Amino acid sequence: MSESIDVTGRLRKMPAEAGDPVAYNLAVGDTRIPLNELVGRKVRLDFEGVIRCIHCDRKTKKSFNQGFCYPCFRKLAACDSCIMSPEKCHYHLGTCREPEWGEANCMVEHVVYLANSSGLKVGITRASQVPTRWIDQGAVTAIPMLRVATRYLSGLVEVACKAHVADRTNWRAMLKGDVPELDLHQERQRLLGLIETDLAELREQHGADSIRVVGEDSLGLGYPVEVWPAKVKTHNLDKTPEVEGLLEGIKGQYLMLDTGVINIRKFTGYEVRFRVLD
């Protein structure tokens, strides 16, 4: 990428690859801008006033569920409530919004994992989304705990786990770099002991092979951050369409500027102009 960067296009979730540190790109239209090399430089993001649905390309006044227009939000399986609460999956009832999508994305192996983003949390993801999901959450370490036959079943396991461990990240603490050290191998064994009865009941209902304990190792993740913010202030393109500042780091799906942080994923589908100013 040349020293002069001035790109206009639609924002997408930042592609990232595990490494030391994680390697980020900013996706603006068809352009992928390597971001790690821009840490320490002044950048500017201008919202051009147009939002388009990432599914149907319809122009929309408001983005729903990180990039969709309202009609797509209402009809797509990817936007159904069971995506956030997989234990509410209704595929088996024959009421899935898009059965073929459900077969490809939900009726496949999922991983129940432990991660340390701002402290211990439990989460689930499609097996194919490891470690992308962990990077998007800003985890510094993560470890698989169980491999489960379907998304619905992984949701039931997560419900059992939530009685003992959090299922959400404190994103402000994550962005401050205020993350305690944890032994995830030890935490995995502790939690498996606590949910042993729950797992036995679920296996009895869904099959002995539907839930498998795994002994996979943990993965450590570092992020390209030069300065951690002492106080987290957020930029919102809907309220302030011009965002400018020194890029001090990248973590999760956030750009960390000396003027505040911005969640790029939140503004998926927004038409923007991105420039490097120095």
Side-chain angles (χ1 to χ4, degrees):
M1 183 71 63
S2 65
E3 287 297 309
S4 177
I5 298 175
D6 189 339
V7 180
T8 300
R10 202 176 315 169
L11 271 182
R12 293 277 184 166
K13 182 174 87 80
M14 288 190 289
E17 292 184 6
D20 188 20
V22 171
Y24 282 97
N25 285 274
L26 185 67
V28 181
D30 295 329
T31 304
R32 299 293 180 268
I33 303 165
L35 281 176
N36 290 39
E37 61 195 54
L38 298 183
V39 174
R41 300 184 65 181
K42 195 171 186 179
V43 299
R44 182 178 173 105
L45 195 68
D46 292 283
F47 173 39
E48 303 280 89
V50 175
I51 308 170
R52 290 193 177 274
C53 176
I54 59 173
H55 179 76
C56 73
D57 204 41
R58 179 189 282 111
K59 190 175 179 180
T60 177
K61 291 183 179 180
K62 182 179 178 181
S63 172
F64 295 85
N65 202 33
Q66 299 175 334
F68 297 92
C69 65
Y70 188 69
C72 285
F73 171 69
R74 293 284 295 171
K75 74 179 183 181
L76 295 178
C79 298
D80 206 345
S81 61
C82 51
I83 297 302
M84 291 300 293
S85 303
E87 71 277 8
K88 297 178 181 178
C89 173
H90 47 96
Y91 178 92
H92 59 290
L93 300 176
T95 54
C96 181
R97 291 180 177 182
E98 297 175 282
E100 289 186 3
W101 188 93
E103 289 169 10
N105 293 276
C106 302
M107 310 305 288
V108 295
E109 185 178 71
H110 278 61
V111 173
V112 181
Y113 64 85
L114 293 176
N116 184 11
S117 301
S118 57
L120 187 66
K121 74 173 290 289
V122 64
I124 68 170
T125 189
R126 292 196 307 274
S128 60
Q129 289 300 298
V130 172
T132 301
R133 178 64 174 160
W134 302 342
I135 294 170
D136 288 347
Q137 293 182 338
V140 296
T141 53
I143 193 169
M145 184 169 67
L146 299 159
R147 289 187 175 265
V148 182
T150 65
R151 183 174 182 83
Y152 171 61
L153 189 50
S154 71
L156 295 178
V157 173
E158 186 181 38
V159 168
C161 293
K162 286 193 292 186
H164 309 284
V165 64
D167 68 327
R168 296 187 182 276
T169 297
N170 181 332
W171 62 273
R172 291 182 181 274
M174 179 270 289
L175 289 174
K176 289 181 180 180
D178 184 18
V179 183
E181 288 190 16
L182 293 172
D183 184 336
L184 292 189
H185 292 82
Q186 184 177 8
E187 293 293 345
R188 177 171 63 184
Q189 290 307 116
R190 180 181 70 86
L191 186 56
L192 284 172
L194 291 171
I195 64 170
E196 186 175 3
T197 301
D198 301 279
L199 295 181
E201 291 176 357
L202 289 172
R203 289 190 182 104
E204 186 174 345
Q205 296 169 16
H206 298 275
D209 295 332
S210 62
I211 303 173
R212 295 184 292 112
V213 175
V214 295
E216 298 169 36
D217 205 357
S218 61
L219 176 67
L221 295 162
Y223 296 88
V225 179
E226 287 188 350
V227 180
W228 297 101
K231 184 177 180 181
V232 177
K233 172 188 173 184
T234 57
H235 287 293
N236 186 336
L237 292 178
D238 293 317
K239 296 179 179 179
T240 308
E242 304 89 15
V243 172
E244 183 177 311
L246 191 71
L247 181 61
E248 296 183 329
I250 314 150
K251 192 178 185 188
Q253 280 290 314
Y254 288 84
L255 298 185
M256 303 160 69
L257 309 175
D258 63 345
T259 56
V261 304
I262 180 168
N263 182 354
I264 295 298
R265 190 169 192 175
K266 179 179 179 180
F267 300 105
T268 299
Y270 283 54
E271 297 278 354
V272 301
R273 180 185 181 190
F274 178 80
R275 289 175 285 166
V276 176
L277 299 181
D278 59 9

